[in-house]
């Protein structure tokens, strides 16, 4: 029967499409449904990450960083430019091209793994049936042996500053500005706020960020957060902590934002306002009555450690389930589930999920922060190596930040690695691998790192943990 599949995946974001491809690689008959709609109404695979998240944001971060470097660093390198002109239309065109190529790439990958990609909405019915509503309105009921829910997440709205799609926008809107706003307000100094705030600041906007919490990046190692705040403020991001937004109204083409902080009631006038206060799981219209799939109190699909929902052969992965909302976390869950469906043993090591914030300097970490380790009461040691002491970083004119290794004193096991500095997001991969194999600082100390490379910072930080660093004094 052609409408019957071994596996149906609902959602083709970074959690769903890898699950579909891996299931196809196992020789299973797979369909992957996705309802994503681009701003022009067209459909594309890849979900939030590819169409309106990770990829377009990194494209604009790269372009805007080049503008910043042209202004701030080229003269130091001995490169004189008379003017630096920003062609935002070209920048946006490049970004759109990257997104389009990546999305088309998923269709090629689906073909290679014999996955049937079906544009349209999927709704789980009882008995592992899935109702597929195609873009032309046709409804078909498909039967599956296994269903993987990978419906992702959507931006949270703020009732005191409702989106209008024009002046008050979400992260997708903030990736699509056709002109650089003179004054940009950002509600939320989290990952999205910092990345998109950086893009528009580098392109010339005055950026004010209103963060409700008194602490900055509370989930990161606080030594790192302190260093990050210093550099980001120096770049002109006006980050106001402890700022509670009470309202935002559009008047005469300007957004008037009211908020309260330690100084009392305040107001702010901006040309655009980005609301980036977190994302919520997307489950609207996903589950018919009687499927046996349950949501938790925050709206996430309930799953166990192996991403089983509790309903027979129904799995859920990615942003729609507990855990960090990160593309690579969703991908690993998708692969694990597909392998398990094929009868293999697979698991996700939730202790070694890296996190990267693509500001300049970049921020990246894996494992526990120093605050978390301290709270466990286990004796520990730390080693810190500043990029200022790295020959490669000096040659790159990128000496901000440091690499920090935290390890247990008793058995030397690495418990956490935190890097702020050039290409921190790339450097963290070595630490992830080390921790995946339960490496000790001695393992890192005795591993040869090419010279001169940024990766030597991690080597030296591991040496510094035992006060035997070579390229910095040991204190
Ligand atoms: P999604 O990517 O949200 O995909 C879910 C898909 O399912 C969507 O296409 C949706 O339309 C579809 N869908 C939902 N319900 C149905 C249904 N009922 N029927 C059919 N289709 C349905 N993460 C990182 O790791 N690194 C980054 O650099 C990064 N940058 C980001 C930047 C921004 C601006 C944003 C907003 C997010 C960023 N993220 C980043 C987070 C990342 O995008 C998410 O963690 C990731 O996309 C989650 O993947 P997912 O597959 O679970 O869900
Ligand atoms: P976030 O949780 O990172 O940050 C939201 C911030 O908004 C927090 O600091 C929070 O305290 C603040 N906030 C909440 N309510 C507020 C209010 N009423 N007023 C002022 N501040 C308020 O969420 P995000 O930045 O929206 O990102 C959403 C998700 O997307 C995150 O889970 C993140 O992991 C993911 N993401 C990842 C990357 C990356 O990996 N580089 C990039 C972008 C997004």
């Amino acid at each position: 029967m052609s409408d019957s599949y071994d596996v149906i995946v609902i959602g083709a974001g970074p959690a769903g499409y890898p699950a579909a491809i891996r299931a196809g690689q196992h020789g299973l008959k797979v369909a992957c449904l996705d309802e994503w709609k681009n701003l022009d109404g067209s459909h594309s695979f890849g979900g939030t990450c590819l169409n309106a998240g990770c990829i377009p944001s990194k494209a604009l971060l790269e372009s805007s960083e080049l503008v910043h470097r042209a202004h701030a660093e080229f003269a130091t390198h001995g490169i004189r430019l008379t003017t630096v002109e920003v062609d935002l239309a070209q920048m946006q065109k490049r970004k759109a091209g990257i997104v389009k190529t990546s999305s088309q790439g998923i269709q090629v990958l689906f073909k290679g793994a014999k996955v049937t990609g079906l544009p349209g909405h999927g709704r789980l019915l009882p008995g592992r049936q899935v109702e597929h509503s195609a873009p032309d309105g046709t409804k078909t009921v498909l039967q599956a042996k296994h269903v993987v829910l990978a419906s992702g997440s959507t931006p949270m709205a703020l009732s005191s500053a409702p989106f209008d799609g024009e002046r008050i926008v979400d992260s997708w809107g903030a990736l699509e500005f056709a002109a650089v706003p003179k004054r940009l307000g950002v509600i939320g100094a989290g990952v999205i706020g910092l990345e998109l705030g950086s893009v528009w600041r580098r392109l010339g906007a005055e950026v004010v960020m209103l963060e409700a919490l008194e602490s900055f990046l509370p989930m990161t190692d606080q030594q790192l957060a302190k260093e990050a705040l210093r550099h980001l403020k120096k770049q002109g991001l006006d980050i106001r902590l402890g700022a509670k937004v009470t309202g935002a109204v559009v008047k005469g083409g300007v957004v008037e934002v009211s908020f309260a902080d330690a100084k009392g009631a305040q107001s702010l006038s901006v040309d655009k306002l980005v609301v980036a206060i977190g994302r919520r799981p997307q489950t609207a219209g996903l589950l018919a009555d009687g499927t046996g799939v349950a949501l938790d109190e925050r709206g996430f699909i309930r799953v166990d450690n192996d991403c089983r929902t509790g309903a027979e052969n129904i799995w859920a992965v990615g942003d729609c389930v507990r855990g960090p909302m990160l593309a690579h976390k969703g991908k690993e869950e998708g692969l694990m589930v597909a392998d398990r469906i094929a009868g293999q043993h697979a698991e996700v090591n939730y202790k070694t999920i890296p996190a990267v914030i693509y500001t300049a300097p970049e921020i990246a970490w894996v494992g526990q922060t120093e605050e978390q380790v301290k709270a466990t009461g286990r004796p520990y040691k730390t080693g810190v190596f500043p990029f200022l002491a790295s020959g490669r970083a000096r040659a790159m004119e990128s000496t901000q930040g440091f690499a920090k290794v935290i390890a247990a004193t008793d058995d030397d096991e690495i418990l956490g690695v935190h890097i702020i500095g050039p290409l921190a997001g790339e450097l963290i991969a070595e630490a992830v691998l080390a921790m995946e194999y339960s490496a000790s600082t001695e393992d890192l100390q005795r591993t040869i790192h090419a010279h001169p490379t940024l990766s030597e910072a991690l080597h030296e930080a591991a040496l510094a943990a035992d006060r035997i660093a070579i390229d910095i004094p040991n204190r």
Side-chain angles (χ1 to χ4, degrees):
M1 187 178 148
S2 63
D3 284 351
S4 163
Y5 293 88
D6 293 317
V7 183
I8 293 178
V9 182
I10 301 181
Y17 87 77
I21 289 174
R22 175 59 60 85
Q25 288 168 345
H26 283 303
L28 299 169
K29 188 180 173 197
V30 187
C32 185
L33 281 58
D34 193 289
E35 67 180 355
W36 184 272
K37 267 210 180 86
N38 293 311
L39 295 173
D40 64 3
S42 62
H43 172 269
S44 59
F45 292 112
T48 305
C49 177
L50 201 151
N51 294 296
C54 325
I55 301 304
S57 62
K58 268 74 238 177
L60 289 185
L61 277 158
E62 194 64 31
S63 300
S64 61
E65 179 61 6
L66 287 178
V67 173
H68 168 75
R69 295 189 83 151
H71 282 299
E73 284 174 23
F74 277 22
T76 315
H77 282 277
I79 304 167
R80 263 191 225 120
L81 296 177
T82 38
T83 55
V84 178
E85 257 179 65
V86 172
D87 178 350
L88 185 59
Q90 167 55 25
M91 221 176 253
Q92 292 286 26
K93 194 171 151 201
R94 186 188 89 96
K95 178 203 77 181
I98 294 165
V99 167
K100 194 167 179 195
T101 309
S102 310
S103 173
Q104 287 169 345
I106 293 182
Q107 296 189 44
V108 175
L109 297 173
F110 274 177
K111 212 169 162 200
K114 298 195 171 54
V115 171
T116 305
L118 296 173
H121 183 78
R123 190 163 75 108
L124 181 68
L125 309 175
R128 289 191 300 283
Q129 291 195 319
V130 174
E131 179 189 72
H132 171 229
S133 308
D136 66 3
T138 317
K139 283 191 196 300
T140 317
V141 174
L142 314 172
Q143 180 69 51
K145 291 183 186 147
H146 290 262
V147 178
V148 183
L149 306 171
S151 54
S153 63
T154 53
M156 282 208 261
L158 191 59
S159 55
S160 54
F163 296 125
D164 69 358
E166 170 63 27
R167 297 267 163 191
I168 306 179
V169 299
D170 63 13
S171 55
W172 195 0
L175 286 165
E176 300 296 331
F177 292 155
V180 178
K182 190 171 173 323
R183 298 162 305 175
L184 177 69
V186 181
I187 304 183
V191 190
I192 290 181
L194 292 174
E195 290 187 356
L196 296 185
S198 293
V199 166
W200 297 109
R201 173 69 202 133
R202 293 166 189 169
L203 296 179
E206 294 164 23
V207 179
V208 179
M209 305 185 64
L210 304 175
E211 166 58 51
L213 296 178
E214 297 288 348
S215 57
F216 181 62
L217 292 178
M219 70 293 200
T220 61
D221 185 279
Q222 284 305 289
Q223 191 177 353
L224 220 77
K226 213 169 136 199
E227 178 84 358
L229 186 60
R230 195 166 67 81
H231 290 299
L232 294 170
K233 279 192 165 174
K234 222 160 117 187
Q235 288 162 20
L237 288 180
D238 182 353
I239 300 169
R240 317 243 183 117
L241 300 175
K244 314 249 181 317
V245 174
T246 46
V249 283
V250 180
K251 269 193 214 146
V254 171
V255 191
E256 305 287 354
V257 187
S258 43
F259 64 98
D261 64 9
K263 291 183 203 145
Q266 312 257 11
S267 64
L268 177 74
S269 300
V270 290
D271 302 299
K272 298 270 187 189
L273 180 67
V274 185
V275 179
I277 57 165
R279 296 176 63 83
R280 66 169 79 255
Q282 162 63 33
T283 54
L286 178 68
L287 305 168
D289 288 341
T291 61
V293 175
L295 304 184
D296 70 14
E297 56 291 345
R298 293 190 303 152
F300 290 93
I301 297 172
R302 248 184 227 288
V303 285
D304 66 10
N305 225 30
D306 302 329
C307 294
R308 293 176 194 278
T309 61
E312 198 186 355
N313 291 352
I314 311 288
W315 312 72
V317 296
D319 277 13
C320 64
V321 303
R322 84 285 173 266
M325 289 182 161
L326 295 172
H328 43 281
K329 173 263 192 186
K331 178 180 182 178
E332 289 313 309
E333 289 180 334
L335 298 180
M336 169 183 73
V337 162
D339 287 345
R340 282 181 173 265
I341 289 172
Q344 294 186 352
H345 179 74
E347 49 189 45
V348 171
N349 182 356
Y350 287 97
K351 289 186 180 156
T352 54
I353 298 173
V356 183
I357 307 178
Y358 296 83
T359 45
E362 269 180 23
I363 300 165
W365 70 93
V366 58
Q368 292 173 279
T369 63
E370 186 168 350
E371 293 73 25
Q372 287 166 338
V373 176
K374 200 178 266 176
T376 65
R378 189 172 179 190
Y380 68 94
K381 56 189 176 180
T382 62
V384 175
F385 182 81
F387 282 103
L388 195 58
S390 151
R392 184 66 194 276
R394 284 202 300 272
M396 291 169 67
E397 203 60 34
S398 293
T399 53
Q400 297 170 340
F402 55 81
K404 173 177 180 179
V405 172
I406 307 169
T409 319
D410 45 17
D411 63 1
D412 199 31
E413 185 185 354
I414 298 169
L415 303 173
V417 174
H418 306 269
I419 306 175
I420 174 166
L423 297 176
E426 302 296 329
L427 298 177
I428 204 67
E430 180 186 354
V432 175
L433 192 66
M435 288 186 65
E436 185 63 32
Y437 285 87
S438 306
S440 62
T441 58
E442 188 182 354
D443 291 323
L444 273 190
Q445 290 166 1
R446 296 194 186 278
T447 301
I448 302 172
H449 291 72
H451 176 76
T453 60
L454 296 172
S455 71
E456 287 172 293
L458 194 53
H459 186 226
E460 285 283 331
L463 291 166
D466 286 329
R467 306 295 175 259
I468 52 170
I470 301 301
D471 291 335
I472 47 165
N474 290 285
R475 294 197 184 92

